[in-house]
Amino acid sequence: MNRDQFEGGLRNLRGRGRTALGAVTGRPRQQIDGAVDQVAGTLQHGYGRARETADGLHRDGTQFIDEARSRGRAVASEVQDRAEDLRQRGRGYRDEAVRRGRDIAARADDNRNTTLLVVAAAAFATGWLMRRTR
């Protein structure tokens, strides 16, 4: 409860008292002043409630924004970790492919005649398979 709610409630009660006292004593001016105080007190109390609600919404919004930032940072960190892991795996695959390619090239260089025969046989088989009539 904030100051406006408290003061509005007191003003409303004071206005009720003045209205009742004016009715008992027969003073219409006091009754009118009491009614005015009642309305003003109710409005001030309503303003205090609206202000308290706005403060609560502001607090909740700030909390929501902070939580969203925190979650966003966590997701970004997770994505960066996953990307680094994939990058490392890709480098490993690349290194393995290079190593195997060099091994095959070294074997082909060591066995030139066999390599030439295998390439010639593959070319012949490809030509035979692509021919229209067999």
Side-chain angles (χ1 to χ4, degrees):
M1 177 177 275
N2 61 32
R3 192 189 92 222
D4 287 316
Q5 286 177 301
F6 182 74
E7 288 178 3
L10 284 178
R11 191 169 183 184
N12 187 325
L13 286 175
R14 191 173 48 239
R16 284 185 186 188
R18 285 179 74 181
T19 303
L21 185 62
V24 169
T25 59
R27 295 183 185 165
R29 178 73 181 164
Q30 194 172 14
Q31 283 181 308
I32 292 172
D33 288 343
V36 168
D37 277 348
Q38 278 182 318
V39 170
T42 302
L43 291 175
Q44 187 175 5
H45 186 280
Y47 169 75
R49 285 182 60 195
R51 199 175 91 193
E52 189 172 281
T53 301
D55 287 344
L57 290 173
H58 178 263
R59 227 180 0 262
D60 291 346
T62 302
Q63 210 172 20
F64 178 74
I65 289 170
D66 290 343
E67 186 176 333
R69 281 183 184 149
S70 174
R71 286 185 181 184
R73 287 183 183 123
V75 167
S77 176
E78 188 176 321
V79 166
Q80 285 177 341
D81 292 345
R82 181 73 175 140
E84 183 59 33
D85 180 49
L86 291 173
R87 194 176 300 120
Q88 291 296 330
R89 287 176 62 189
R91 287 180 185 145
Y93 291 144
R94 180 200 63 199
D95 294 344
E96 180 67 17
V98 167
R99 186 186 62 77
R100 287 185 182 189
R102 287 183 180 153
D103 287 347
I104 290 171
R107 280 191 206 153
D109 194 39
D110 290 343
N111 301 310
R112 289 184 183 170
N113 291 335
T114 306
T115 303
L116 184 58
L117 285 174
V118 169
V119 170
F124 177 78
T126 302
W128 184 76
L129 288 173
M130 294 184 69
R131 193 173 77 176
R132 289 184 190 258
T133 58
R134 291 186 203 154

